[in-house]
């Protein structure tokens, strides 16, 4: 499966926009990063640091992120995250983007 990249700020904005539509309190970015990182680790035994501006994930991991959104943030984002993802593979563009957000 190709690697996919996503900006964490886009993900956080998407979650908070959905929470606002549902008349729920929004989360601060820092809190969201911690919750996402810890929940992802608990589910997969893999660490992704959601405090970074850009994260590399696989297509399968999008499903896990959607599950975290549903279970931890009470928002349904099935199919909404993928449009924000950048298909990355191992292209030089992916490496440039990844390195720029480290």
């Amino acid at each position: 499966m190709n690697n996919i990249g996503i900006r964490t700020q886009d993900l956080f904005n998407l979650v908070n926009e959905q929470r606002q539509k549902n008349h729920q309190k929004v989360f601060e970015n820092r809190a969201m990063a911690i919750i996402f990182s810890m929940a992802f680790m608990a589910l997969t035994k893999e660490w992704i640091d959601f405090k970074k501006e850009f994260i590399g994930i696989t297509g399968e991991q999008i499903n896990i992120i959607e599950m975290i959104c549903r279970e931890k943030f009470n928002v349904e984002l099935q199919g909404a995250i993928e449009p924000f993802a950048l298909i990355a593979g191992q292209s030089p563009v992916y490496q440039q983007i990844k390195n720029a957000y480290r």
Side-chain angles (χ1 to χ4, degrees):
M1 187 75 176
N2 285 340
N3 288 328
I4 298 171
I6 190 166
R7 290 190 66 229
T8 53
Q9 188 61 55
D10 292 342
L11 175 62
F12 299 163
N13 289 343
L14 190 60
V15 169
N16 276 330
E17 286 170 10
Q18 202 57 34
R19 287 185 60 81
Q20 284 179 320
K21 285 180 186 177
N22 296 332
H23 306 288
Q24 300 174 52
K25 183 180 174 185
V26 298
F27 280 85
E28 292 182 18
N29 289 349
R30 185 179 216 153
M32 290 178 77
I34 293 168
I35 293 167
F36 269 112
S37 294
M38 298 303 288
F40 194 89
M41 178 69 163
L43 291 168
T44 66
K45 308 297 185 243
E46 297 175 42
W47 177 258
I48 291 182
D49 187 358
F50 284 83
K51 290 180 186 173
K52 292 183 178 181
E53 288 186 54
F54 180 85
I55 57 171
I57 57 175
T58 65
E60 293 88 19
Q61 291 171 328
I62 287 179
N63 295 330
I64 295 166
I65 292 172
E66 289 173 350
M67 183 188 327
I68 294 168
C69 290
R70 188 171 44 256
E71 293 178 1
K72 302 297 181 189
F73 297 102
N74 197 29
V75 295
E76 184 61 51
L77 296 179
Q78 184 141 2
I81 295 173
E82 202 164 342
F84 288 95
L86 305 168
I87 302 301
Q90 294 300 323
S91 71
V93 173
Y94 169 73
Q95 292 301 326
Q96 287 177 339
I97 292 170
K98 185 176 176 182
N99 292 336
Y101 287 106
R102 281 192 176 176

